[in-house]
Amino acid sequence: MEMINALNVLNSLPLASLEVGEHFYWRIGNLTLHGQVFLTSWVVIAILVVASLAATRNVQMVPGGIQNVMEYALEFLRDLAKNQLGEKEYRPWVPFIGTLFLFIFVSNWSGALIPWSIIELPSGELAAPTNDINTTVALALLTSLAYFYAGLSKKGLGYFAGYIQPIPILLPIKILEDFTKPLSLSFRLFGNILADELVVAVLVLLVPLFIPLPIMALGLFTSAIQALVFATLAAAYIHEAIEVEGEEH
């Protein structure tokens, strides 16, 4: 009986004034765009551009401040690409893999550190770009295009010969892999970021003082891990596409 009463009280609380799935739309001709995703994505891009300009405005031989941070990030991303692609192949792919990592990393952290929800919109509410399935699917599809481009550039049409190796019966499985890779990339990132923000929101509502803080710290850590996982898998898929049988990594 007490549990039923508690559920009735929770159901009566105004937990949210928004409907699930409600968005702030922009309509341009026949296109309908999620305006809230564009707005937060532009904020993330602006943060990255400003940080890059600040780091390169007055380059010093002995780096300090923002230059030191950006050089450390570049070295980290270079090592990430080298470990996955190998010494011979990694350089052309550092910008792509680095951009993926930095955009996802800053997007994820923006959801944990920026109080997007206090900005009122005519409908829907602002959230981290990676909290929207459209963003994660777009990033996953870009990764798919990247490894197809890498494989065709390296092997030409012979890239598709790998679909029937070592035996032709593997063709349906290899084709299925091309669909499951972007699906797993997009849903893994989207699911983890959405779950983290929902947990923090519920805890802040129920226990608004100290308990949510460790969860928020854990969310920052897992957000960074998700960016690393996405970039690492993207590099691994590209390496798989350009790898030549018998060639050392």
Side-chain angles (χ1 to χ4, degrees):
M1 190 66 181
E2 292 180 358
M3 184 177 293
I4 294 175
N5 292 333
L7 289 175
N8 290 332
V9 171
L10 286 175
N11 290 331
S12 65
L13 290 175
L15 299 181
S17 59
L18 298 173
E19 297 180 3
V20 176
E22 187 178 3
H23 295 284
F24 172 52
Y25 294 111
W26 287 341
R27 287 180 173 81
I28 303 175
N30 294 325
L31 296 176
T32 301
L33 308 176
H34 284 196
Q36 60 202 52
V37 178
F38 278 89
L39 289 173
T40 53
S41 296
W42 288 340
V43 171
V44 170
I45 293 170
I47 292 172
L48 292 171
V49 170
V50 169
S52 300
L53 292 176
T56 57
R57 184 182 58 179
N58 185 21
V59 178
Q60 302 292 328
M61 290 297 295
V62 179
I66 186 65
Q67 181 185 342
N68 195 31
V69 173
M70 295 301 286
E71 287 191 9
Y72 174 80
L74 177 60
E75 191 66 28
F76 170 78
L77 294 169
R78 189 181 297 158
D79 289 341
L80 171 63
K82 185 188 296 184
N83 290 335
Q84 294 299 320
L85 295 168
E87 182 70 34
K88 297 180 180 179
E89 304 286 352
Y90 84 94
R91 293 183 184 278
W93 293 102
V94 172
F96 176 74
I97 296 168
T99 300
L100 277 180
F101 175 83
L102 291 174
F103 179 80
I104 295 172
F105 178 82
V106 177
S107 295
N108 293 351
W109 274 41
S110 73
L113 298 176
I114 300 177
W116 292 113
S117 58
I118 66 173
I119 302 175
E120 294 186 3
L121 297 175
S123 60
E125 61 182 11
L126 296 178
T130 44
N131 192 26
D132 191 288
I133 188 65
N134 296 282
T135 304
T136 60
V137 168
L139 294 173
L141 290 177
L142 282 175
T143 301
S144 296
L145 291 176
Y147 70 71
F148 274 119
Y149 169 79
L152 290 171
S153 298
K154 178 81 172 183
K155 305 174 184 178
L157 293 178
Y159 166 76
F160 295 106
Y163 282 67
I164 56 174
Q165 293 176 354
I167 52 177
I169 198 173
L170 293 177
L171 177 62
I173 298 176
K174 295 292 184 70
I175 294 175
L176 184 61
E177 283 183 358
D178 288 333
F179 289 95
T180 57
K181 285 176 181 177
L183 281 176
S184 64
L185 281 175
S186 58
F187 281 99
R188 180 189 296 108
L189 179 59
F190 166 70
N192 279 280
I193 300 306
L194 178 62
D196 176 64
E197 293 195 5
L198 287 176
V199 167
V200 172
V202 170
L203 287 176
V204 169
L205 177 68
L206 297 177
V207 190
L209 292 178
F210 300 109
I211 291 182
L213 293 178
I215 303 299
M216 293 175 68
L218 180 62
L220 291 175
F221 176 74
T222 56
S223 295
I225 294 298
Q226 288 304 314
L228 178 60
V229 168
F230 197 104
T232 301
L233 288 176
Y237 294 155
I238 293 170
H239 175 258
E240 182 182 340
I242 64 178
E243 187 178 21
V244 177
E245 188 176 354
E247 184 180 58
E248 292 186 0
H249 180 69

